[in-house]
Amino acid sequence: MTDPALSTTSIPAAPPMPVTEFRSVVSQIEEAVATVMVGQSAIVRDVLISLIGGGHVLLEGVPGLGKTLLVRTLADALDLHFSRIQFTPDLMPADITGTNLLLEDSAGRKQFAFQPGPIFANLVLADEINRATPKTQSALLEAMAEHQATVANEIHPLASPFFVLATQNPLEMEGTYPLPEAQLDRFFFKLVVPFPSAEDLTEIVRRTTLPAPPQTTSVASGETIRQMGLMARQVPIASAVTDYVVRLTLATHPTEPEPPEVVRRYVRYGVSPRGAQSIVLGAKIRSLIEGRLNVSFEDVRTVALPALRHRLILNFDAESAGVTADAVLADLLATLPE
């Protein structure tokens, strides 16, 4: 089964939008975010690719790198209803989806009414998502996969568009729970937020100590992002490029007849078909941002790491040797012929 965001069936044709307008909207959003967010331009670009593709994003980085600020600023720049969920070990599924409450009307009659939770927003920040128990994380999984929430056997559709931007701290292990593979697979991209350079850190200190921190303004709507996503799906991709994506996906599987040496030694399970879908859609969006109406091999290689790193399951040998998913994928991208 595929994500609604990744499915290509029954998609209406988007109104024609010139490539120059597509690039202009992306540039305006990036400039709006840059008024508040210092540096991290590559992260901002990848998040935008995910949002245009209708997918969710997992942001990984140590505290203080501006992950939460980025999500808030994007919500302001895109004029989206923003909601934040602070994940903790005692968080319950009802704290995410909402619950039925017994309410009394003006006539004194009592009846159950659904009180929606914070998941009913356009852009949801799942802060420190790996601090919640698997039971609570499963409530978010349905929302990410089906764009709906089930409460008391009643299905409630979520807002459209709907994006989840989740954060997690890679350093702290106590009081955290690994994300299930099924939930990791629902993220369009996993982005590793780097520490800022000395120049960026200087500007961060300057901005955050001003009497009035800078603010951003809305430059695009959720409907604009949706139309851009529909347009991106219509970008043609050559069969040779599609074949390269398929071969890259299959090369991550150690069960293939002749897997690459790095995969045979260090990989337990390869990436899912959703990984290939994310690469193709992400590459199409990147081609438009670069001003092209065709997908190149470079587009594929650029989006491959964020699309696949969280879908690759390594074995014990990789953990003991300190080999990361990024290292395995970098080896594959360097050796796999076009």
Side-chain angles (χ1 to χ4, degrees):
M1 182 177 179
T2 56
D3 285 302
L6 296 176
S7 176
T8 57
T9 59
S10 302
I11 297 176
M17 175 188 292
V19 178
T20 53
E21 182 180 347
F22 189 102
R23 299 183 68 189
S24 176
V25 173
V26 171
S27 179
Q28 291 177 46
I29 297 171
E30 291 178 337
E31 290 174 3
V33 172
T35 60
V36 177
M37 191 82 183
V38 178
Q40 310 292 14
S41 57
I43 297 295
V44 174
R45 171 66 59 87
D46 285 341
V47 170
L48 278 177
I49 289 175
S50 301
L51 297 187
I52 294 171
H56 313 293
V57 183
L58 178 60
L59 295 164
E60 182 176 277
V62 297
L65 297 183
K67 300 185 295 295
T68 302
L69 178 63
L70 169 60
V71 181
R72 284 185 174 276
T73 306
L74 272 173
D76 293 336
L78 297 176
D79 193 24
L80 296 176
H81 178 206
F82 171 79
S83 179
R84 174 177 178 172
I85 307 173
Q86 185 64 50
F87 280 69
T88 57
D90 60 348
L91 191 74
M92 298 299 292
D95 297 326
I96 296 177
T97 60
T99 187
N100 289 322
L101 297 179
L102 186 61
L103 302 178
E104 184 175 336
D105 59 20
S106 57
R109 294 187 297 267
K110 294 183 179 181
Q111 59 182 352
F112 282 100
F114 176 65
Q115 300 298 308
I119 199 68
F120 289 87
N122 298 119
L123 187 59
V124 177
L125 169 60
D127 209 6
E128 296 187 292
I129 187 174
N130 56 333
R131 289 194 173 277
T133 62
K135 179 180 181 180
T136 301
Q137 290 177 7
S138 66
L140 187 63
L141 176 59
E142 180 191 8
M144 293 172 61
E146 309 296 337
H147 290 193
Q148 65 183 32
T150 302
V151 179
N153 295 325
E154 185 176 352
I155 296 175
H156 300 273
L158 299 178
S160 180
F162 173 72
F163 309 112
V164 172
L165 271 69
T167 70
Q168 68 176 11
N169 179 1
L171 297 181
E172 298 179 12
M173 299 301 295
E174 185 175 353
T176 62
Y177 301 85
L179 297 184
E181 286 78 6
Q183 186 167 3
L184 281 172
D185 199 30
R186 300 293 179 176
F187 287 102
F188 192 92
F189 278 175
K190 177 185 177 181
L191 305 176
V192 179
V193 184
F195 197 83
S197 64
E199 182 181 353
D200 287 342
L201 187 57
T202 301
E203 179 63 15
I204 290 171
V205 172
R206 187 192 70 81
R207 287 192 190 183
T208 55
T209 55
L210 291 173
Q215 303 291 326
T216 190
T217 56
S218 173
V219 295
S221 65
E223 177 60 23
T224 300
I225 295 297
R226 191 184 75 85
Q227 292 296 333
M228 292 170 71
L230 294 177
M231 175 185 175
R233 293 173 182 272
Q234 301 174 49
V235 173
I237 179 170
S239 58
V241 180
T242 302
D243 177 69
Y244 178 76
V245 174
V246 172
R247 286 187 289 113
L248 176 61
T249 303
L250 294 176
T252 65
H253 289 259
T255 55
E256 285 296 297
E258 295 183 5
E261 175 64 18
V262 67
V263 172
R264 186 187 63 79
R265 290 184 59 187
Y266 297 125
V267 176
R268 184 180 180 188
Y269 297 113
V271 302
S272 71
R274 289 192 186 95
Q277 291 175 302
S278 295
I279 290 178
V280 170
L281 186 53
K284 287 185 174 185
I285 296 168
R286 184 182 185 273
S287 71
L288 288 173
I289 294 175
E290 295 295 322
R292 289 178 283 104
L293 277 171
N294 64 289
V295 179
S296 68
F297 288 101
E298 183 60 28
D299 293 326
V300 169
R301 284 190 289 266
T302 300
V303 303
L305 272 180
L308 301 183
R309 58 163 56 109
H310 55 298
R311 295 181 164 100
L312 197 65
I313 310 301
L314 303 182
N315 57 26
F316 178 77
D317 289 341
E319 295 181 14
S320 60
V323 176
T324 64
D326 281 21
V328 173
L329 293 170
D331 186 282
L332 289 178
L333 291 170
T335 57
L336 188 69
E338 294 183 357

